[in-house]
Amino acid sequence: MAHTPEKPAFAPGKDGTKHHLGHTRTSLHADHALLTPDSFVRAPLPGMKNATAIVHTAPAMGAAFTQYTAEFETGGELGPCVSQRFLFVLDGEICVLASGKNYALQPGGYAFFPVALTERVSAPKSSRIAVIEKKYQPLEGVRAPSILISEESAAAPQPFMGDDSLAVRMLLPDDSSHDFAVNTMLYQPGATLPMVESHVMEHGLLMLEGEGIYRLGNSWYPVAAGDFIWMAPYCPQWFGALGKVPAKYLIYKPWNRHPLE
Ligand code: UGY
Ligand code: MN
């Protein structure tokens, strides 16, 4: 991407926010990270055209996967990927060319690409997507997953542990060919996780709407749409939605694999 003094690619606070005396809600710990938009740094990844990435988590942080937000200018493109890849459209429109077919994805649309596939992902207008990439862990006797293109509204909402005020949509099929899950969780105002969870799976979490309080380890953080959270395995976690509108997040976890593998 062209790098002009008027529009630097590396611009913390590009959204207009300014840090007051070094204050930010961004907070990094061994077992969790909260990263807020005022501290996001943009840089292109190999193969990107007219696009930049905000890498939210990666092995450098301790995660076994990579999650980033890709921001495209008109005509922007993602680079190639050696692992499996999941993307979820946040804003704008995304064109996918895969297995000889073209798809157009709108906000809420998503795609899963298995390892062997060479997809082309481009943006006909200014757009943003959440991207998750993970090395595939094959399972003996189980076929590798296939390409999937769908939209969030096509996944039926399920009450979480019987609570109608907390709806989960599973975006990937719950079969053991997939080694990770991506879900959306929609909390009505005042809804909470029913328990403090502590589990072997790590999480990547992008706040999509609303706000609330996230407990991570032994700290409680105010969080809002646009924030990213990484939770290491076993990080104690709990969320309560605040405000007058629902809170929603997109959440990743490794799934369907034995911890020894
Ligand atoms: O799927 C999950 O583990 C989810 N309930 N965790 C979370 O929302 N922090
Ligand atoms: Mn969890």
Side-chain angles (χ1 to χ4, degrees):
M1 185 181 163
H3 198 155
T4 61
E6 295 76 34
K7 197 180 176 205
F10 297 86
K14 199 179 176 187
D15 59 356
T17 54
K18 288 207 166 56
H19 290 151
H20 180 63
L21 294 173
H23 180 74
T24 176
R25 287 184 297 112
T26 285
S27 193
L28 182 63
H29 303 265
D31 69 344
H32 66 271
L34 167 65
L35 302 171
T36 61
D38 55 294
S39 65
F40 290 171
V41 172
R42 291 152 173 92
L45 291 176
M48 277 185 154
K49 290 184 194 143
N50 292 328
T52 52
I54 303 157
V55 180
H56 300 301
T57 194
M61 189 182 273
F65 67 106
T66 295
Q67 181 162 353
Y68 55 95
T69 297
E71 297 181 335
F72 302 95
E73 294 173 13
T74 301
E77 271 187 50
L78 272 192
C81 171
V82 291
S83 62
Q84 47 183 350
R85 175 187 263 169
F86 174 93
L87 62 84
F88 183 91
V89 182
L90 301 170
D91 297 307
E93 185 178 335
I94 292 298
C95 296
V96 169
L97 172 60
S99 309
K101 285 191 189 152
N102 283 296
Y103 306 88
L105 303 182
Q106 312 298 327
Y110 64 91
F112 167 82
F113 305 110
V115 187
L117 207 84
T118 313
E119 69 277 4
R120 180 165 177 247
V121 176
S122 57
K125 59 182 186 187
S126 166
S127 304
R128 289 189 320 124
I129 60 175
V131 186
I132 293 165
E133 295 172 353
K134 178 188 180 295
K135 264 189 196 156
Y136 184 57
Q137 280 181 264
L139 201 57
E140 214 181 312
V142 175
R143 274 209 312 175
S146 316
I147 181 173
L148 176 71
I149 310 274
S150 189
E151 59 185 61
E152 188 201 2
S153 59
Q158 306 286 348
F160 187 73
M161 294 174 78
D163 182 353
D164 287 330
S165 64
L166 173 46
V168 183
R169 290 179 199 257
M170 295 181 62
L171 304 186
L172 293 177
D174 188 16
D175 68 61
S176 52
S177 65
H178 286 277
D179 67 353
F180 69 89
V182 183
N183 303 335
T184 58
M185 297 187 64
L186 178 69
Y187 294 73
Q188 293 309 312
T192 68
L193 271 183
M195 55 184 279
V196 177
E197 298 179 4
S198 176
H199 48 62
V200 67
M201 302 86 75
E202 64 178 332
H203 281 311
L205 184 160
L206 186 64
M207 285 294 294
L208 299 176
E209 294 170 19
E211 58 190 35
I213 298 289
Y214 230 106
R215 177 186 171 165
L216 300 167
N218 290 328
S219 302
W220 279 254
Y221 299 93
V223 298
D227 292 351
F228 178 83
I229 294 170
W230 170 68
M231 294 171 234
Y234 294 106
C235 175
Q237 56 200 257
W238 176 89
F239 179 68
L242 292 177
K244 296 190 174 172
V245 296
K248 181 163 116 175
Y249 52 74
L250 182 76
I251 185 164
Y252 157 93
K253 58 185 166 186
W255 200 233
N256 289 321
R257 293 295 180 270
H258 192 283
L260 282 178
E261 279 163 11

